[in-house]
Amino acid sequence: MGNEEEGADRARSAFGNAQDPSTYRKAVQSKERFQRRFGDDSDAVYHLMSAEAPVIGKALGVRSLMLSYGTEPLDLAADAAAAPLPPKTAWTDEGAHGAPVIVGNIRMGFGHYRIAMAMASAAHAMGYTPYWLDLLSFRETTGSKMIEDQNRLYSLGSKLSQDFPPFNRLIWEPLNSEGFRKLSYNAADQKNSELCVPIFQDIDRDIPYIGTHAWPSQAAVHAGMRKVVNAIPDNWPMALHLAEGSIHTVQTPSSYLGYHQLRGMDPKRQLVPMPHDALFYTGHYVDHELVSNIEADCARRRGRVLGGGPVRYLISVGGAGAQQELFAAIISHLIPSVKRHEAVLFVNVGDHRNVWEGLVSEVEGLSALAECHFDSFSDTAAFAKAALEGDAEGIHAFSDQDIFSAVYSSNILMRAADVLITKPSEFSFYPVPKLMIHRIGGHEAWGAIRAAEVGDGTYEMDQDAEVLSMLDSFQKDRALIAFMCDRIEDAYHAGIYDGAYKVVDLAVHGLDSRYARP
C-alpha cells in the first residue's frame, strides 16, 4: 500500500479518526522544537552510498546505506545488480535475482535491530539483496539527531525503571502500556518523522521497503515510498506503531484483532477500525538461519538435556543494559551447578561492558570461572559453532562495542543453547525454550503471554525467587525443556515462525502477495 494521498498531513488523523486541534497543534510544536535544537535541513540534498554491513554483511548479504559526500546520486538497482546473487534456498522467489529490499530501522533498544536482522535474513534467503537503512546512523542530519535524543531518553527511562520501583510503577509502566497506546501519541510521531525525509533523496520510490519501527515506516511514507511494510513488533496494540499509508504486519492473532479495532487507543470514543488491506497477520519475525534449523537444533537440545549433559543457559542483556541485580542472582544460583558440570552459562552483555564488570564485582568467583570473548565476533562465531556441534562447559561472557556484533551474537549462540533467559522482548517470538523474567515496560507483558500460550517459553516471572525456582526445575526435570522443544516443532510445522518471509513477500508484491489476506 503506497502513499495514495500525496502531500497528506498524517498528523491530522489516523485511518479516518481525526486528531483534536490541540493534539495536532502540539505535534507541530514538537517538530518545530527539534528543528530549533538541531537545525532545519528540509531543503538539504543528501546522497547515499553503500558498503557491506559489518558482521551481517557476509553472513546475510546485507549492504549498509550511509551518507556519501559526493555529488552523484546512488543508483540502488544498479548497486544491487553488482552484488553477488544470494544462494538459492527453499524460500527463493524466482523473480528476485538479487533485487534490492530496504530494511529501515533504528536502534531503540536491541529489539528493533533484531527484527531488522530477521527481515534481512529472510530477504537474503528469498534471493533479494537487503539494504540496511538505520535512520539513527546519519549523525549530521536533523532526523538522526531527533532519534538519538529520543533513544537517550528511552534508555534512561528503562534504566530508572529498574533502579527505582516507584518510578517504574507510577511513570514507566503506565507510559509504556497506556501512554504509547493513545491515538494522540501518533500525531507527534508523524510530525517528528517528517524530519527524516531528506535521507530518502536517492531512493527510488518503488523499491520494496520494510520498516521495523514506526518512525522509519512513517518517514518512508512521508517521502513518497510506494511499497512500505510496517513490521509491528509488540503484541500489545499501541498507536505508537501506526504508520498510515503502509501495510502493517503483526506477529499474533490477538495483536491482529487489537490493531484492527484500534483497541483502547481513545477511551473517549469508538474509533473507526483499520481497513482490511492495511493490516495482515504474518507470524513471528525470525531469521532464516534459525527457522531452517529448528528441527536439527531441537533434536540436539533433547539429546543434550535428556542424555544427562549440562543444561546450557543463554542470558541476553537488552539494549538498555538493565536488570543487573537479577542477572547477578541467576549467575550466583547456577555457579554450583556449573562447578558440578551440570550447567553451562553463556552471558551476552551486548555493548554494555559495564554490566559485565558490575556482575564480576557482585558475584563471588565469577571472574575466575568465566572465559571472556570480547570485541571479536570471529571468536564468538567460532565458539558458537563448536558449541553447536560439540561439548561446552563453564561460563562464557560475550561483549562487543560493534552494535551488529552485540545483537547478532545472541542469535548465533541461541542455536547452541538449551534455555534463553530473557525479558519478554522481541525474543518472546523466537524458536528457543525461554525463561521469561520480569518485563521492562508494560507493553512487553503480552510477549510473555504469547510465548506461554505457544508453549515455547514460560509465563513472565515477577519475583527473583520464582525465576530461581524455575532454574531448579529445569535442572531436575529435563523433560520440561524437551516439552518446549516439542511445542517449538509444533509451531514450526504450523508456520508460526514464517513471519519474516511473509513480510518480505508483502513488501515486494504488495496486495498481489500470496499472503495479502487477513
Side-chain angles (χ1 to χ4, degrees):
M1 175 175 294
N3 182 5
E4 292 91 350
E5 304 171 49
E6 295 294 339
D9 191 337
R10 300 290 181 186
R12 289 190 179 276
S13 68
F15 301 105
N17 298 285
Q19 303 282 11
D20 65 74
S22 175
T23 295
Y24 178 74
R25 185 166 58 252
K26 290 176 182 177
V28 172
Q29 291 169 348
S30 176
K31 176 183 176 181
E32 290 173 345
R33 279 196 300 272
F34 283 119
Q35 287 177 316
R36 286 195 296 271
R37 288 179 62 190
F38 303 129
D40 182 357
D41 64 352
S42 55
D43 293 326
V45 176
Y46 295 119
H47 291 306
L48 302 176
M49 59 181 289
S50 82
E52 184 179 81
V55 179
I56 60 172
K58 286 186 171 60
L60 308 178
V62 181
R63 297 186 64 77
S64 287
L65 293 173
M66 59 198 74
L67 285 182
S68 166
Y69 295 97
T71 58
E72 293 298 319
L74 174 67
D75 185 337
L76 206 56
D79 189 82
L85 280 177
K88 286 195 172 185
T89 70
W91 279 91
T92 297
D93 184 336
E94 290 303 322
H97 304 302
V101 171
I102 298 173
V103 182
N105 59 83
I106 62 171
R107 175 185 173 176
M108 185 70 74
F110 283 170
H112 299 284
Y113 250 47
R114 196 171 304 288
I115 296 171
M117 288 180 179
M119 299 304 173
S121 173
H124 182 64
M126 295 170 72
Y128 297 98
T129 301
Y131 282 82
W132 191 268
L133 183 70
D134 179 0
L135 298 189
L136 182 55
S137 68
F138 298 88
R139 299 292 185 180
E140 66 189 56
T141 69
T142 301
S144 185
K145 291 174 183 175
M146 177 272 294
I147 294 171
E148 185 173 20
D149 182 75
Q150 298 299 289
N151 183 45
R152 184 166 52 248
L153 288 174
Y154 187 83
S155 295
L156 176 61
S158 294
K159 186 69 167 61
L160 290 175
S161 73
Q162 300 305 296
D163 294 342
F164 303 102
F167 175 84
N168 183 59
R169 184 177 66 257
L170 298 174
I171 298 176
W172 196 244
E173 277 272 340
L175 176 64
N176 276 271
S177 58
E178 296 300 332
F180 293 158
R181 188 184 187 186
K182 294 178 181 178
L183 191 73
S184 58
Y185 195 91
N186 185 251
D189 275 358
Q190 287 282 13
K191 270 295 165 195
N192 292 337
S193 64
E194 292 175 0
L195 298 171
C196 299
V197 167
I199 297 169
F200 289 77
Q201 176 79 24
D202 279 1
I203 300 175
D204 186 297
R205 297 323 189 227
D206 287 317
I207 290 177
Y209 180 101
I210 300 165
T212 60
H213 185 284
W215 295 344
S217 299
Q218 292 164 357
V221 172
H222 293 316
M225 299 290 290
R226 288 182 277 270
K227 295 182 175 180
V228 180
V229 172
N230 177 34
I232 294 174
D234 291 315
N235 201 25
W236 175 247
M238 295 190 291
L240 164 72
H241 294 306
L242 299 176
E244 186 176 7
S246 67
I247 288 176
H248 297 67
T249 62
V250 291
Q251 301 186 78
T252 70
S254 64
S255 185
Y256 175 83
L257 293 173
Y259 272 101
H260 183 274
Q261 295 301 116
L262 302 177
R263 179 189 176 199
M265 295 184 188
D266 190 341
K268 296 180 180 179
R269 54 176 169 160
Q270 183 61 50
L271 297 173
V272 177
M274 291 179 68
H276 75 279
D277 60 353
L279 179 67
F280 298 93
Y281 160 61
T282 60
H284 299 187
Y285 312 140
V286 183
D287 310 64
H288 169 73
E289 294 71 32
L290 295 171
V291 176
S292 61
N293 287 293
I294 281 176
E295 291 180 307
D297 291 346
C298 282
R300 288 190 178 102
R301 289 187 186 106
R302 288 193 198 90
R304 286 193 297 261
V305 299
L306 299 180
V311 179
R312 301 173 177 186
Y313 298 95
L314 169 59
I315 298 175
S316 183
V317 177
Q323 298 177 302
Q324 181 174 308
E325 290 184 7
L326 175 55
F327 293 141
I330 290 169
I331 294 170
S332 296
H333 190 76
L334 285 173
I335 278 180
S337 296
V338 172
K339 289 181 176 180
R340 294 192 299 268
H341 304 286
E342 296 171 356
V344 177
L345 272 177
F346 307 150
V347 184
N348 181 22
V349 297
D351 57 352
H352 297 284
R353 185 75 59 83
N354 61 304
V355 171
W356 176 252
E357 293 166 354
L359 291 171
V360 167
S361 67
E362 287 186 47
V363 180
E364 184 178 355
L366 177 58
S367 180
L369 285 171
E371 180 180 345
C372 295
H373 308 261
F374 291 168
D375 292 318
S376 174
F377 184 78
S378 59
D379 177 36
T380 299
F383 173 84
K385 185 175 187 296
L388 178 67
E389 298 173 352
D391 297 329
E393 61 180 18
I395 298 176
H396 297 266
F398 304 87
S399 180
D400 205 308
Q401 292 308 299
D402 178 84
I403 184 64
F404 289 96
S405 300
V407 177
Y408 201 58
S409 291
S410 287
N411 287 33
I412 61 173
L413 290 166
M414 192 188 312
R415 293 189 56 203
D418 299 320
V419 177
L420 169 64
I421 300 175
T422 179
K423 67 185 181 73
S425 59
E426 181 52 32
F427 268 144
S428 301
F429 305 96
Y430 273 60
V432 59
K434 295 172 287 287
L435 194 168
M436 294 292 192
I437 61 177
H438 189 58
R439 63 186 179 268
I440 300 179
H443 64 293
E444 292 184 337
W446 278 68
I449 292 171
R450 172 63 171 177
E453 288 301 313
V454 171
D456 59 4
T458 69
Y459 47 87
E460 182 185 0
M461 299 186 179
D462 294 332
Q463 304 300 320
D464 291 8
E466 191 176 20
V467 173
L468 303 184
S469 176
M470 193 72 228
L471 290 173
D472 290 340
S473 292
F474 283 142
Q475 287 298 122
K476 294 173 184 176
D477 186 358
R478 306 296 183 81
L480 290 173
I481 299 172
F483 172 84
M484 288 188 181
C485 288
D486 292 344
R487 305 291 75 74
I488 289 169
E489 290 184 334
D490 289 346
Y492 167 64
H493 291 297
I496 284 175
Y497 303 118
D498 291 346
Y501 306 112
K502 295 177 180 178
V503 169
V504 173
D505 202 71
L506 281 163
V508 173
H509 300 292
L511 298 181
D512 292 328
S513 165
R514 52 188 155 159
Y515 305 112
R517 59 182 183 273

